[in-house]
Amino acid sequence: MAIGQFFTAHWLMNRWDRLRTSFWFLPSTLAVVATGLSFLLIQVDTWVGTKLVQQLGWLYTFGPEGARAILSAIAGSMITVAGLTFSITMLTLQLASSQFGPRLLRNFMRDRGNQVVLGTFISTFIYCLLVLRTVRGTDESSFVPHLSVAFGVILAIASIAVLIFFIHHTATSIRIETLLAQLASDARCAIDRLFPSEMGDEPPAHASGRIEQISLHDFGGNAQPISAPSSGYVQHIDGDLLMQLAIEHDLIVRIEAPPGSFVAAHDAVLTTFSDHCISDETLGKLRQVAVIGDDRTPTQDLEFSIRRIVEIAQRALSPGINDPTTALYCIDRLEEAFGYLAQRNPPSPARYDQTGRLRVVVEVVRFDELVCSAFSALARYAGSDADVVSRILAALFRLRAKAPPDQRQALSDVHEATFRFSQEALPYDADKAAVYKAYQHGSRSGEFLVNRRETDFGCGPTPR
């Protein structure tokens, strides 16, 4: 639910995203279109009459009984196929949830192809029912909507094509390669939105020296928290609206819960700092900035986008599934996403207006923290698989070369820890030699400054 009582662009985007990820919205829309189309074509049939239709040789011309028979056959077959399609879709969701994790159901539910297929069958069924009610063949009156019946036949043919597409699409969508490509695309889109952003620019060159010395502690007496009305995950932060309100009301705002954070009821989402009292109206507007929901979304939550790929790899490496090839695919996609992120300049945590005044303070996701978290989680599961460990070491080596200089040591620590853990976990000398070769490749290149102290799978050495 939204924080506040007003509609904002991000609130509307969140609601639209919920509609897109539902099975009912697009099929319901197509059903409404089919209803309107049935009334329209029946009215056209009434206007043109039977004589004009008989002059068109390519149209089917039926008597009342024939029209009822063909419309009934189409309607009956469509509702049967629609039920079959729903069953196959539910089985696909169950398979995806058990094989890849429940966090990936969102991708299957928002699949536009499945929604169009369901909508086509349902709308064809409704169209034929509504046209069927107008067919009359009594002694007092007789009416057969020939154009409407012919369009029903066209819809039936289109439904057969859609059914063939659905079978192919379902078989393709559950392939791990297709799914990982979609997740990697979501991660790239999240990177494009977050790195860099306009709010993340460094202060303008004409910023005053006083601005550089501003501390939030100067406003400690007038700090005003903006709390969440209910528990949930922060899904969106409207950065443009936040900056606009901060400028209009001369505020400094700190984002306490960035997208992806879980907040309990009445926890602070934002904190405002000002040397003057803030009106209730302004506080009400600030409550529009954040949108809270029951689950995490990848729109502004890059960590969640990465975590979904990591989860697939962890499940693939579990003893119950034992699919290391899938884990190798996941590592490749993780390296792709992190390599894309390494090309972007991280935004500044302190964000300024055009006059150089500090307005927004936000925690920025660090490249090394994301990389260390993802590959450390995989290394714990992959310690006894030489192929996966070697691929992790190679990916860390290449990513370290792309990382900012001040963040490379953390990747070196994870690289060292992964190697040491694998040497203890691998049962065969041949596997140890293969992993050592991958490890030495990075060490001999001079890219890795190996930390010889004891390390764990965090982003740095473990204190003695």
Side-chain angles (χ1 to χ4, degrees):
M1 60 182 298
I3 300 181
Q5 302 176 350
F6 305 95
F7 297 107
T8 65
H10 273 244
W11 186 91
L12 293 174
M13 287 177 58
N14 181 67
R15 290 300 181 268
W16 172 245
D17 188 63
R18 286 176 177 270
L19 292 176
R20 288 179 62 246
T21 56
S22 65
F23 277 134
W24 65 267
F25 177 69
L26 185 57
S28 299
T29 302
L30 293 177
V32 171
V33 172
T35 301
L37 191 59
S38 67
F39 285 103
L40 176 62
L41 289 180
I42 290 171
Q43 190 64 40
V44 172
D45 271 305
T46 304
W47 289 339
V48 300
T50 306
K51 293 183 179 180
L52 179 60
V53 172
Q54 292 176 345
Q55 295 176 2
L56 301 176
W58 53 272
L59 277 179
Y60 285 102
T61 54
F62 300 98
E65 294 301 326
R68 290 194 189 99
I70 193 168
L71 290 174
S72 299
I74 294 174
S77 60
M78 286 302 104
I79 197 61
T80 301
V81 175
L84 176 62
T85 303
F86 272 109
S87 300
I88 295 176
T89 302
M90 292 300 104
L91 288 175
T92 302
L93 293 178
Q94 182 181 3
L95 173 65
S97 178
S98 60
Q99 188 77 11
F100 306 127
R103 261 66 58 185
L104 299 178
L105 290 182
R106 175 188 178 86
N107 284 62
F108 288 93
M109 292 185 65
R110 75 175 183 178
D111 190 289
R112 189 60 57 84
N114 292 337
Q115 297 174 7
V116 170
V117 169
L118 295 173
T120 300
F121 295 146
I122 293 174
S123 58
T124 302
F125 169 73
I126 293 177
Y127 174 87
C128 292
L129 282 185
L130 294 177
V131 174
L132 183 61
R133 69 182 178 84
T134 64
V135 179
R136 298 188 299 273
T138 63
D139 295 336
E140 292 80 9
S141 63
S142 178
F143 175 72
V144 177
H146 295 284
L147 289 176
S148 302
V149 174
F151 190 77
V153 174
I154 294 175
L155 286 179
I157 296 174
S159 298
I160 295 174
V162 168
L163 177 60
I164 297 173
F165 163 78
F166 174 72
I167 296 172
H168 169 77
H169 181 72
T170 302
T172 303
S173 62
I174 61 176
R175 296 176 65 244
I176 186 62
E177 295 85 354
T178 303
L179 181 59
L180 286 176
Q182 293 175 353
L183 295 179
S185 177
D186 290 343
R188 290 194 301 271
C189 290
I191 292 171
D192 289 335
R193 284 188 290 265
L194 299 175
F195 299 91
S197 64
E198 295 180 0
M199 288 180 59
D201 295 338
E202 294 295 336
H206 58 273
S208 64
R210 173 182 174 276
I211 298 302
E212 299 296 334
Q213 301 174 359
I214 281 185
S215 171
L216 297 181
H217 296 291
D218 298 338
F219 303 96
N222 289 321
Q224 176 67 53
I226 308 297
S227 60
S230 62
S231 301
Y233 290 94
V234 179
Q235 296 178 336
H236 298 276
I237 296 289
D238 192 339
D240 295 334
L241 177 60
L242 182 60
M243 178 65 78
Q244 177 185 345
L245 293 173
I247 294 174
E248 290 179 358
H249 302 283
D250 194 18
L251 305 173
I252 298 177
V253 182
R254 182 171 63 201
I255 299 177
E256 306 289 353
S261 303
F262 180 82
V263 292
H266 307 301
D267 283 352
V269 179
L270 308 172
T271 301
T272 61
F273 303 87
S274 176
D275 54 4
H276 59 273
C277 294
I278 304 175
S279 66
D280 293 338
E281 180 182 0
T282 301
L283 293 176
K285 293 179 180 179
L286 286 169
R287 291 189 178 97
Q288 305 174 49
V289 169
V291 175
I292 294 178
D294 295 331
D295 54 357
R296 298 175 70 174
T297 59
T299 306
Q300 292 184 341
D301 190 356
L302 178 57
E303 183 181 358
F304 178 63
S305 298
I306 298 299
R307 192 68 193 177
R308 292 189 297 176
I309 302 177
V310 173
E311 181 180 1
I312 295 177
Q314 289 175 330
R315 284 175 172 267
L317 293 172
S318 64
I321 297 178
N322 192 23
D323 183 14
T325 302
T326 294
L328 296 177
Y329 289 161
C330 293
I331 294 171
D332 293 338
R333 290 298 182 177
L334 286 173
E335 183 180 354
E336 174 194 0
F338 288 135
Y340 191 72
L341 175 61
Q343 301 173 7
R344 302 302 181 93
N345 295 322
S348 170
R351 302 179 179 181
Y352 300 78
D353 62 16
Q354 293 299 319
T355 63
R357 294 181 62 86
L358 178 66
R359 293 301 181 191
V360 178
V361 178
V362 61
E363 181 181 358
V364 178
V365 179
R366 288 172 57 91
F367 175 82
D368 57 342
E369 292 177 351
L370 287 173
V371 175
C372 290
S373 175
F375 285 104
S376 296
L378 288 182
R380 297 188 191 100
Y381 283 79
S384 59
D385 192 298
D387 293 334
V388 178
V389 172
S390 299
R391 188 69 62 88
I392 291 176
L393 294 175
L396 286 170
F397 162 64
R398 289 188 290 265
L399 289 174
R400 185 191 182 280
K402 302 176 182 179
D406 61 331
Q407 300 181 21
R408 292 177 179 175
Q409 185 59 46
L411 274 68
S412 298
D413 294 339
V414 175
H415 181 268
E416 172 74 6
T418 302
F419 169 71
R420 290 185 177 275
F421 179 73
S422 67
Q423 292 299 295
E424 298 177 0
L426 290 171
Y428 302 112
D429 292 339
D431 289 340
K432 292 181 179 181
V435 171
Y436 182 73
K437 182 178 180 180
Y439 168 76
Q440 282 294 98
H441 174 74
S443 299
R444 285 198 305 268
S445 68
E447 292 292 337
F448 278 98
L449 302 177
V450 178
N451 189 337
R452 293 298 178 183
R453 292 179 293 176
E454 293 182 2
T455 56
D456 63 355
F457 286 118
C459 293
T462 301
R464 291 185 180 275

